[in-house]
Amino acid sequence: MSYFYYQSQKIYYSEAGSGKPVLFLHGNTASSRMFEFLRPLYEEQFHVILMNFLGHGKSDRLEKFPPDLWMEEARQATALLEHLNLGRVSLAGTSGGAWVALNTALERPDLVEKVVADSFDGRTLAESFVQNLLQERTNAKQDEMGVGFYQWCQGADWERVVDLDTEALIRCAAEKLPLFSKPLRGLRVPLLLMGSEEDEMVREDFREEYRAIAAETGAEVILFPTGKHPAILSNAEQAAEIICRFLK
């Protein structure tokens, strides 16, 4: 196990494979364990780095998650990149991790080579975001597979982690906080946007949102016709082929 200190707290990370470095960033209520089954698809070609944001997985716990969660987690990702001192590293963020990856690149393009942003809402949260979030979390807590995923990622205190995350996201939406530290049109690194047409956890108009982001940034857009949330998992082999090509 590897840890580094960020603001006097321990953040867990792991490394595998060789080649160009790629940091994979997990989504909300998940941890780096979500990438364990994917790692074999990448580690023969890349130096794969995984991390657990504070409050998740094997990293130190928090009393409360900040409402600007994805900006704060970007600062944690930046701290890891500085700690590893590998030069410019590509980022692959999924769901909430997509916002983290983009914020990291916006703030520190000197540390980032390319960004993959998978299965997220885009520049703003939908009007129905809070309602959908509460329904999704309620359903997941009553579903054996949902609870199993939470336990697998977080451990015995999974419900507290989920509740803290839900509280932070509700505050983010209620206060209409910006999701990015800077306008996306200022992004200075290549971007790949990825998603699934059947994804039930992103906003209904995410396709239009992706096209608008691409118009601002010159991003490549890949949408799979099938697959659930997130695309990097539900379309694992196809997604890996596309991501590996993009990152090379």
Side-chain angles (χ1 to χ4, degrees), residues 189-202:
V189 302
L191 172 62
L192 170 64
L193 299 171
M194 181 174 287
S196 297
E197 296 278 1
E198 295 179 344
D199 191 338
E200 75 289 356
M201 293 180 66
V202 295

Side-chain angles (χ1 to χ4, degrees), residues 10 23 43 61 68 74 77 79 115 117 136 153 175 179 189-190 211 235 240:
K10 289 195 304 182
L23 172 60
E43 62 186 5
R61 291 302 190 249
D68 63 341
V115 171
E136 182 265 319
C153 286
E175 297 172 22
L179 307 183
V189 302
R211 284 195 284 270
N235 289 278

Side-chain angles (χ1 to χ4, degrees), residues 7-204:
Q7 298 183 353
S8 301
Q9 293 178 297
K10 289 195 304 182
I11 292 180
Y12 170 82
Y13 71 96
S14 64
E15 301 176 86
S18 60
K20 287 185 175 183
V22 183
L23 172 60
F24 287 80
L25 301 169
H26 66 78
N28 294 66
T29 70
S31 74
S32 63
R33 293 200 76 176
M34 70 174 291
F35 297 116
E36 286 187 2
F37 296 122
L38 297 180
R39 193 160 52 190
L41 298 173
Y42 297 91
E43 62 186 5
E44 290 187 6
Q45 301 180 63
F46 297 99
H47 174 184
V48 175
I49 308 160
L50 308 180
M51 71 179 293
N52 292 340
F53 299 124
L54 283 176
H56 299 79
K58 297 176 182 178
S59 292
D60 281 353
R61 291 302 190 249
L62 298 171
E63 288 301 314
K64 182 176 286 190
F65 290 0
D68 63 341
L69 186 60
W70 298 311
M71 293 188 199
E72 166 55 26
E73 289 174 345
R75 290 188 281 270
Q76 296 172 29
T78 298
L80 175 58
L81 297 182
E82 292 175 334
H83 171 76
L84 294 173
N85 194 28
L86 294 172
R88 297 179 73 198
V89 176
S90 290
L91 308 177
T94 186
S95 194
W99 279 293
V100 179
L102 284 163
N103 275 308
T104 305
L106 285 167
E107 287 296 322
R108 294 298 303 273
D110 59 309
L111 295 177
V112 178
E113 183 170 348
K114 297 181 179 181
V115 171
V116 178
D118 171 55
S119 303
F120 75 120
D121 277 4
R123 298 166 299 175
T124 60
L125 299 176
E127 290 296 324
S128 59
F129 175 81
V130 170
Q131 178 184 346
N132 292 341
L133 175 73
L134 290 171
Q135 187 63 57
E136 182 265 319
R137 298 286 165 87
T138 298
N139 292 344
K141 284 184 178 184
Q142 297 171 354
D143 178 71
E144 185 176 348
M145 289 185 64
V147 171
F149 176 77
Y150 289 148
Q151 290 176 327
W152 183 61
C153 286
Q154 312 299 354
D157 65 342
W158 66 269
E159 190 163 13
R160 181 172 184 274
V161 176
V162 173
D163 289 345
L164 287 177
D165 182 82
T166 303
E167 177 188 323
L169 294 182
I170 289 173
R171 287 179 60 202
C172 177
E175 297 172 22
K176 299 188 183 301
L177 297 180
L179 307 183
F180 298 109
S181 60
K182 297 178 181 178
L184 274 179
R185 62 179 177 273
L187 188 69
R188 291 163 50 191
V189 302
L191 172 62
L192 170 64
L193 299 171
M194 181 174 287
S196 297
E197 296 278 1
E198 295 179 344
D199 191 338
E200 75 289 356
M201 293 180 66
V202 295
R203 59 193 299 166
E204 292 183 2

